[in-house]
């Protein structure tokens, strides 16, 4: 299906208007001869709402299942063809509804194309992975053929790019019908480039790897509203999901390049000591700052990069300096000065341990030096804004810079006195002190009959904001604050939603994402 038929469901159309246009577009399915073309057309069609969240509910349910119901009522040959495709390409709920609706239309002798019986009837013919020596990404190639087809007829390859610098998400996907040319080109590139590896893997391994990557894409989108995928990813998402199910299950996800056994705290400390005593670190002039910077580098590799502290690449180092450190870590002035130099020394130390080719190490070091000036501009020390160091220590005992704004919002009274209470001595991370601080914040509500219960809910929300769990809580609060709403009204809206939803984290995240404004009469 050409992309001119795709409409963004966020537009002001009603669902039935969207479905009507999709059913008109589905008439093209009657003209195609290949089941592969039909599957790609429908995958492109339903990709219009992939990753969307609608105020009126989940897009897959409102639009996906709604389209099935609409097509079932239409009862036309185009509708039947669309239902047959959705029975294979849809989510589990969509597929079950589409199959039942399609069978009902078939019993009424509604015409269907010849290729309908072959839709999705594929077998895997080989799985491969192209890996860069840095361990930044895997390009997975899975080839398929239709069962019973002539040799080479409709043979195709699904290609998915897995990006480990983005938490292992599936970042890109496409389909090629030039299978042999694709494989020959990948093998030739690997043979000519020492920074590339190309190898065949078991279909079970490919399935586990791709299932994990596609799940990571969804989770990344939940944390950051949208996942940074290619423009084509949504169009191929349903097709990729269906082809992955055609691969045999039964294996664990293959470890990314340079993965090792899990790093305990003791093992992390030992690795830091090995680095600091190595030739690579001998030129570092501030051993204390270098030690703390090494700890940050190791923690980042262990906690954010699949347990790979020794993996270095230009992209990983840039992400560490310009994205993770400025958001997450409270650095001292000495650490701010030292961290680019420590990272360069770490790259030399790690490259020797992992066998990274010399050209890869040179590119990594060049990337670090190019990023150093930008790091000085990107990193903002809160003390330069006039914030007291003692206050920062109380708000950030874990050094998590990203938590500063939401913790200040949760506990605005941390300095000065209140009666005989010295607020500077209260610790918001301590449960007893936290209740005192929130009680001071709500001193004007002492006479309300449900004061204890109400204060307990404020403690619940404050605790969630402190931990950033779920992240949508602070995101919703910021949207409402940006609209000019009072802090206390915002807190009451968050309490109302948390109380109404209960302990279901997914439903809570959706409800918080749906907050666009406060009603005229906010809950109290």
């Amino acid at each position: 299906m050409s992309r001119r038929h795709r409409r963004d469901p966020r537009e002001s159309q009603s669902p039935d208007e969207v479905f009507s246009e999709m059913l008109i577009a589905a008439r093209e399915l009657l003209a195609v001869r290949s089941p592969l073309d039909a599957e790609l057309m429908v995958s492109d069609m339903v990709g219009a709402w992939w990753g969307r969240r609608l105020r009126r509910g989940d897009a897959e349910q409102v639009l996906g299942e709604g389209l099935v119901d609409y097509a079932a009522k239409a009862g036309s040959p185009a509708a039947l063809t669309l239902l047959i495709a959705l029975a294979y390409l849809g989510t589990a709920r969509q597929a079950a509804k589409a199959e039942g609706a399609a069978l009902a239309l078939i019993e009424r002798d509604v015409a269907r194309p010849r290729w309908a019986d072959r839709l999705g009837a594929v077998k895997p013919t080989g799985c491969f992975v192209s890996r860069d020596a840095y361990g930044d990404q895997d390009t997975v190639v899975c080839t398929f053929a239709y069962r019973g087809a002539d040799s080479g007829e409709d043979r195709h390859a699904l290609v998915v790019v897995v990006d480990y610098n983005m938490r292992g998400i599936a970042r890109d996907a496409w389909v090629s019908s030039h299978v042999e040319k694709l494989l020959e080109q990948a093998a030739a590139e690997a043979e000519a480039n020492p920074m590339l590896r190309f190898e065949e893997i078991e279909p079970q391994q490919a399935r586990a790897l791709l299932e994990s990557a596609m799940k990571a894409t969804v989770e990344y989108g939940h944390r950051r509203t949208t996942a940074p995928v290619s423009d084509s990813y949504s169009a191929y998402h349903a097709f990729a999901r269906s082809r992955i199910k055609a691969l045999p299950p039964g294996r664990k996800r293959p470890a990314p390049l340079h993965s090792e056994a899990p790093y305990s705290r003791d093992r992390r400390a030992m690795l830091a000591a090995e680095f600091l005593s190595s030739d690579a670190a001998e030129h570092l002039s501030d051993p204390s700052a270098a030690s703390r910077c090494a700890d940050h580098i190791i923690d980042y590799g262990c906690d954010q990069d699949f347990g790979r502290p020794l993996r270095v690449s230009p992209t990983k180092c840039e992400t560490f300096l310009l994205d993770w450190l400025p958001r997450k870590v409270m650095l001292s002035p000495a650490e701010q000065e030292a961290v680019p130099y420590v990272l360069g020394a770490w790259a030399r130390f790690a490259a020797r341990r992992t066998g990274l080719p010399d050209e890869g190490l040179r590119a990594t070091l060049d990337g670090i030096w190019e990023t150093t000036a930008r790091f000085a501009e990107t990193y903002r020390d809160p003390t330069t804004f006039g914030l007291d160091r003692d206050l920062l220590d109380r708000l950030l005992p874990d050094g998590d810079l990203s938590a500063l704004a939401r913790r200040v919002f949760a506990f605005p009274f941390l300095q000065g006195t209140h009666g005989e209470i010295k607020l500077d001595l209260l610790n918001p991370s301590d449960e007893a002190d936290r209740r005192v601080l929130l009680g001071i914040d709500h001193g004007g509500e002492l006479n309300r009959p449900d004061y204890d219960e109400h204060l307990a809910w404020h403690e619940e929300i404050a605790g969630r904001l402190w931990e950033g769990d779920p992240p949508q809580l602070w995101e919703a609060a910021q949207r409402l604050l940006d609209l000019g709403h009072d802090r206390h009204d915002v807190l009451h809206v968050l309490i109302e939603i948390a109380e109404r939803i209960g302990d279901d984290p997914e439903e809570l995240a959706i409800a918080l994402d749906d907050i666009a404004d406060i009603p005229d009469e906010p809950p109290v």
Side-chain angles (χ1 to χ4, degrees), residues 361-373:
L361 174 59
R362 287 194 297 271
T364 300
L365 293 174
D366 288 345
I368 293 171
W369 305 142
E370 290 172 4
T371 305
T372 297

Side-chain angles (χ1 to χ4, degrees), residues 327-403:
R327 285 189 304 107
K328 298 292 292 183
V329 180
M330 184 73 179
L331 296 173
S332 69
E335 291 166 13
Q336 294 172 46
E337 180 71 24
V339 68
Y341 302 97
V342 177
L343 185 58
W346 179 267
R348 295 186 180 89
F349 169 76
R352 296 191 186 103
R353 298 279 293 264
T354 62
L356 182 68
D358 288 343
E359 62 188 274
L361 174 59
R362 287 194 297 271
T364 300
L365 293 174
D366 288 345
I368 293 171
W369 305 142
E370 290 172 4
T371 305
T372 297
R374 292 161 60 197
F375 171 73
E377 298 171 358
T378 301
Y379 191 87
R380 291 291 182 266
D381 186 341
T383 59
T384 64
F385 303 145
L387 293 177
D388 179 72
R389 171 62 66 173
D390 176 70
L391 175 62
L392 287 171
D393 289 341
R394 284 190 291 151
L395 285 168
L396 306 176
D398 52 2
D400 184 359
L401 260 181
S402 65

Side-chain angles (χ1 to χ4, degrees), residues 180-251:
E180 295 304 328
K181 182 178 180 181
L182 176 69
L183 296 177
E184 289 173 2
Q185 182 176 352
E189 288 178 352
E191 185 174 352
N193 187 348
M195 294 296 294
L196 288 176
R197 305 179 187 181
F198 183 70
E199 58 191 11
E200 187 169 6
I201 59 175
E202 296 179 6
Q204 295 94 329
Q205 289 181 308
R207 174 168 178 164
L209 173 56
L210 294 178
E211 283 180 337
S212 174
M214 294 187 77
K215 180 181 178 182
T217 303
V218 173
E219 292 174 348
Y220 195 107
H222 285 166
R223 288 194 305 271
R224 301 199 179 188
T225 307
T226 57
V229 297
S230 69
D231 292 340
S232 66
Y233 182 81
S234 60
Y236 291 103
H237 175 265
F239 182 90
R241 181 178 57 201
S242 65
R243 283 298 185 269
I244 291 169
K245 291 178 182 177
L247 297 170
R251 290 294 298 272

